[in-house]
Amino acid sequence: MADEFSRNAGTYGSAAIKAYLEGLYSPSTPALNDALAQLETMGMPQIQIAPTEGKLLALLLKLIGAKKVVELGTLSGYSGLWLAGALPEDGHLWTFEYDPKHAAVAQGVFQRAGLAQRVTVLVGAALANLSIIEDQAPFDAVFIDADKHNYGRYGQWALQHLRPGGLVIGDNAYLFGYLAGREPDSETSLAAIAGMRHFHELLSQHCEAVCIPTADGLAVGRKT
Ligand code: SAH
Ligand code: DHB
Ligand code: MG
């Protein structure tokens, strides 16, 4: 009989299981709660990564002994807390944010978390500001979660500034379904599709990579 646990559907990962495991493996903290509360209080979009994705990012950073990490798209600092929290005392996260309001909120979140020393928030369009930190290269990991049409350019920059064995990670790698099979509804989505496909092609060519089937896809590549 076909039910929620149908073997053919292959969907044993129920909401109950995900909630149970999230409670065990990626429980929230006061700092993470602060970042989430700021989204609500400040009327910001609630488009942060999921707790399970945050934990995965933290684990990946620890597995490669990451010290120098770059993030594109800070929002309120939710993903940044997972990234910075996985770094040693002398590690550093540079996180780029276009919106000055978001950047100010995130700065407060990092401050209250006691991580201000370990994090630099750079305000403005990431592409124009990346050169500011190029003297800190090579980096151990680059997490891309900003404007989607620039993912190809961000991926290119990452591959140029990562050490061999460094990680390039991209959120929204399914591009809300537009990556393949969903009818593009505007010029904007066409540009984003081109950018995201370029990003995946770069990972396939220059990394050992996989796209993890999260809600909107999380691409992870190890620079060869
Ligand atoms: N990584 C965050 C979510 C990021 S949402 C988290 O998981 O907590 C995407 C963010 O990218 C938004 O804050 C948006 O303002 C920012 N953004 C959009 N275009 C950008 C650009 N060109 N450069 C830098 N940040 C950009
Ligand atoms: C949007 C951006 C994201 O990075 C995300 O994870 C979800 C939604 C957005 O711009 O709508
Ligand atoms: Mg995202």
Side-chain angles (χ1 to χ4, degrees), residues 47 145 148 171-172 176:
I47 53 174
D145 196 16
K148 310 311 169 198
D171 190 33
N172 307 104
F176 318 109

Side-chain angles (χ1 to χ4, degrees), residues 47-49 71 73-75 78-79 96-99 102 124-126 143 145-147 154:
I47 53 174
Q48 77 285 354
I49 56 166
E71 174 180 65
T74 315
L75 195 61
Y78 182 81
S79 54
F96 293 78
E97 174 53 52
Y98 178 77
D99 187 322
H102 296 184
F143 174 55
D145 196 16
D147 49 322
Y154 294 147

